[in-house]
Amino acid sequence: MDSSLLARRFDERPSPADFSSKIEPTNVPAVFHDAVKEWRAITRWNPFDGGLDYLEERAGSAVLEAMLSRSGHVFYGDIRSHERVPISFSTFITSCKKFLQTSDARSTSAPPVMSLAASACLEDASSDILGELYVAQVPILNLEDKERCPLRILAEDIQTPIFLQTSTLASINFWMNMAKSRSSTHYDPHHNLLCMVSGCKKVVLWPPSACPILYPMPVYGEASNHSAVSIEKPDLSLHPRAVHYEESSQKIILRPGDVLFIPEGWFHQVDSDDLTIAVNFWWKSDMMSNMVEHMDAYYLRRILNRLVAKEMVSIILRQNQTLHEQTSGSSMEKYQPCSEATEGNHGSDHYKLRDNPKENGKSNGILQQLEPCGLDMVHELVSLVHDAMNSNNLNQAATSKDLIDTTDKNKIVEESSPMFVNDRIANILSTVEPLILRSILLAMVQNFPRTLEALILYMLSPKGAEVLTRKFDEMDQQTNKEAQTEFYRLFYSVFDDQFAAMDVILNGKESFAFQAFKNVLDNYAGVHLGRPNK
């Protein structure tokens, strides 16, 4: 994980000004040790020191909803994978007392002997809950629904941390599990301050940028903030990117009095020890609070544009890496960056495919100035075009079907397709330095104009179009305006219809961008988009 995203640790509580200006805006987790150690809840709620009796006495009559798991200790928060049951708080506390009496929790945590009152309470319990219970996200305070706060009475045992006193809270929630439990991986749409009261929690954190690894559920679904990856044993055949699940995370251990700031959008998965209690504070971030609704469409388009641009780069890098892994030894030499002269002599006899060369003397000069690897690339490109045209009977290309039709956006080649990965022309363009590619293209303009025309119009794939125009941008950065104008004049002079050539290149770029767009929707929105409409 990027070191800049690792949780910062503080032994002293920050001031409200420092938290709001130096910690919260970074959207990076932070741990504050012993930040709530003065809470009365730390001693009063301790399950191993009379805390269960106290909680039952104070709030036993409250009726709340608990999460019920009938298949073990894992609690999946998405709406299709969990069950909520109404239960009185006293019934839950009674179950906790029974668990404490019959489990190894006493021996490992060395609690005092249970009181006679607790034993009597267990005997009077009319029935047992069939399954494991988790009192999760039960409001102590809820500003949006003040009537639905069954544990409001417990507020007197806690205090809002001083560094949150300038924040507008949305809710304060109570969390308590009986036996060891695991919560599924998800993110919250609010900033979250998790405060430990008793027990121990192990929190695994992933930044929002790890979204592709976690396979978020569809953004249009009822559980869009949850990961589809199993926390018990990820199925790599179903979620192959989850192979990086562990290395992209960080783990935080929290004990009583500790506080963890989990910024909005950060995925987290929590393991809780037996009889663990926590309180969390939720509040809306300044960024979300300041987003006005009439700007939503603009922000959406800007963010999608940025993610698509990053994904296009990632696709090229991934495919170059795949190509490197699939080739070795001498077969790799033809794709090495052409930046330094390599040994070997290549005379003009090496190129027998010259088609109607222009200004023969000048063209020979351009070829002779190319480095040996540049000459190899000219030969490779010319051979690829001629071989393809001969095998497809496309000598009369102007009236023939395109080899690669980039004008039809329905003809999207999937990224994993061998045609996409083993795109020899795009791979050649990727490896050559911009100014050397400029010389290669000018040499083709002078020596093989019809071949260059066929390459662009009929053989340039979507990936090739994207790589070529990126190389054009790099050339422009390394040459002056006069040289740029002259290059493009010569390059487009080989086409009978220059605007048609531009359309082919632009259509190819848009086809490549559409593949990246589909990946973005899959990676970040959990949406698997089919082919675009005509």
Side-chain angles (χ1 to χ4, degrees), residues 42 82-83 147 207 217 225 290 319 337 345 352 397 403 407 424-425 491:
I42 299 292
H82 77 268
E83 181 179 355
E147 297 299 320
M217 293 188 178
N225 63 323
N290 294 327
Q319 291 172 354
N345 295 318
K352 300 291 188 181
L403 289 176
T407 65
R424 294 175 70 183
I425 290 176
F491 177 79

Side-chain angles (χ1 to χ4, degrees), residues 117 145 149 157 164-165 183 213 240-241 243 245 253 257 296 347 349 383 386 418 432 470 534:
D145 187 357
C149 297
D157 293 331
L164 282 192
Q165 290 183 354
S183 67
I213 296 168
R241 294 190 300 270
V243 68
Y245 191 77
I253 297 178
D296 285 353
D349 290 342
S383 297
H386 283 224
V432 67
R470 286 176 181 269
K534 292 184 179 180

Side-chain angles (χ1 to χ4, degrees), residues 164-184:
L164 282 192
Q165 290 183 354
T166 59
S167 301
T168 302
L169 297 177
S171 64
I172 304 174
N173 303 296
F174 179 89
W175 306 74
M176 182 177 180
N177 59 284
M178 184 170 57
K180 290 181 179 179
S181 66
R182 307 195 78 189
S183 67
S184 56

Side-chain angles (χ1 to χ4, degrees), residues 217-471:
M217 293 188 178
V219 71
Y220 54 80
E222 294 295 325
S224 59
N225 63 323
H226 285 262
S227 166
V229 178
S230 169
I231 60 175
E232 294 287 82
K233 187 177 181 181
D235 184 347
L236 297 183
S237 65
L238 186 62
H239 303 121
R241 294 190 300 270
V243 68
H244 303 294
Y245 191 77
E246 293 285 342
E247 65 192 64
S248 301
S249 68
Q250 57 181 308
K251 298 176 178 62
I252 307 293
I253 297 178
L254 301 175
R255 303 191 185 281
D258 290 343
V259 170
L260 172 63
F261 168 53
I262 306 175
E264 63 177 352
W266 275 71
F267 286 89
H268 50 284
Q269 184 272 314
V270 184
D271 289 352
S272 301
D273 284 356
D274 296 338
L275 296 168
T276 292
I277 303 175
V279 171
N280 86 302
F281 297 78
W282 272 334
W283 72 101
K284 189 179 292 187
S285 68
D286 287 343
M287 186 192 75
M288 295 304 298
S289 297
N290 294 327
M291 285 185 69
V292 288
E293 289 189 12
H294 71 271
M295 294 297 289
D296 285 353
Y298 167 72
Y299 294 142
L300 174 64
R301 293 179 68 86
R302 283 298 302 272
I303 291 171
L304 283 174
N305 283 340
R306 186 158 66 175
L307 289 174
V308 167
K310 289 173 62 178
E311 181 60 20
M312 287 195 291
V313 174
S314 296
I315 290 175
I316 294 172
L317 292 176
R318 286 196 299 268
Q319 291 172 354
N320 287 347
Q321 179 63 28
T322 300
L323 175 69
H324 178 78
E325 293 170 355
Q326 291 178 349
T327 56
S328 60
S330 60
S331 63
M332 194 61 201
E333 291 176 3
K334 67 177 68 177
Y335 297 118
Q336 291 299 322
C338 184
S339 57
E340 296 182 2
T342 57
E343 292 189 12
N345 295 318
H346 301 272
S348 59
D349 290 342
H350 195 53
Y351 303 96
K352 300 291 188 181
L353 300 174
R354 186 178 304 157
D355 46 3
N356 301 321
K358 301 179 181 180
E359 305 175 24
N360 197 48
K362 184 177 180 180
S363 66
N364 285 335
I366 296 176
L367 281 175
Q368 291 171 358
Q369 292 173 12
L370 286 176
E371 297 175 354
C373 61
L375 290 171
D376 282 340
M377 287 185 176
V378 171
H379 180 259
E380 178 82 0
L381 291 171
V382 170
S383 297
L384 286 171
V385 175
H386 283 224
D387 290 347
M389 293 180 69
N390 291 332
S391 64
N392 288 276
N393 194 25
L394 290 177
N395 289 316
Q396 295 180 348
T399 60
S400 300
K401 180 66 176 174
D402 292 353
L403 289 176
I404 297 179
D405 186 358
T406 58
T407 65
D408 185 352
K409 292 189 177 64
N410 279 327
K411 296 187 176 181
I412 299 296
V413 180
E414 295 296 329
E415 181 187 341
S416 58
S417 166
M419 185 184 298
F420 211 148
V421 176
N422 301 321
D423 184 341
R424 294 175 70 183
I425 290 176
N427 294 333
I428 290 172
L429 296 177
S430 294
T431 58
V432 67
E433 295 293 333
L435 293 184
I436 295 178
L437 178 60
R438 181 177 184 273
S439 298
I440 289 172
L441 294 175
L442 289 177
M444 293 187 70
V445 166
Q446 296 299 328
N447 292 269
F448 310 105
R450 298 281 69 82
T451 301
L452 178 59
E453 181 184 35
L455 185 153
I456 298 299
L457 294 181
Y458 310 125
M459 293 192 65
L460 193 66
S461 67
K463 176 186 174 184
E466 180 63 29
V467 172
L468 178 64
T469 53
R470 286 176 181 269
K471 293 294 182 178

Side-chain angles (χ1 to χ4, degrees), residues 57-223:
E57 178 183 350
R58 295 293 294 166
S61 62
V63 177
L64 45 85
E65 286 191 342
M67 291 179 65
L68 174 64
S69 173
R70 300 186 186 274
S71 57
H73 64 294
V74 178
F75 291 84
Y76 285 92
D78 64 281
I79 196 169
R80 297 180 186 273
S81 304
H82 77 268
E83 181 179 355
R84 282 191 174 271
V85 295
I87 186 175
S88 70
F89 195 41
S90 62
T91 299
F92 174 73
I93 294 297
T94 297
S95 298
C96 291
K97 289 178 178 179
K98 183 176 182 179
F99 172 80
L100 184 60
Q101 185 183 46
T102 59
S103 71
D104 292 335
R106 282 189 298 169
S107 60
T108 58
S109 303
V113 178
M114 294 182 68
S115 66
L116 293 177
S119 298
C121 182
L122 286 172
E123 293 173 1
D124 292 342
S126 60
S127 63
D128 292 331
I129 300 296
L130 299 178
E132 294 193 22
L133 290 172
Y134 184 21
V135 174
Q137 195 180 324
V138 176
I140 295 175
L141 169 70
N142 189 328
L143 294 180
E144 296 177 355
D145 187 357
K146 295 183 179 180
E147 297 299 320
R148 194 177 64 86
C149 297
L151 297 181
R152 183 188 295 109
I153 194 170
L154 298 181
E156 64 186 48
D157 293 331
I158 62 174
Q159 297 83 40
T160 300
I162 188 170
F163 50 87
L164 282 192
Q165 290 183 354
T166 59
S167 301
T168 302
L169 297 177
S171 64
I172 304 174
N173 303 296
F174 179 89
W175 306 74
M176 182 177 180
N177 59 284
M178 184 170 57
K180 290 181 179 179
S181 66
R182 307 195 78 189
S183 67
S184 56
T185 306
H186 66 285
Y187 67 84
D188 297 318
H190 293 84
H191 283 331
N192 184 0
L193 199 70
L194 180 61
C195 304
M196 285 295 299
V197 176
S198 70
C200 177
K201 285 185 181 288
K202 302 174 183 67
V203 184
V204 186
L205 296 166
W206 293 265
S209 56
C211 211
I213 296 168
L214 298 174
Y215 291 85
M217 293 188 178
V219 71
Y220 54 80
E222 294 295 325

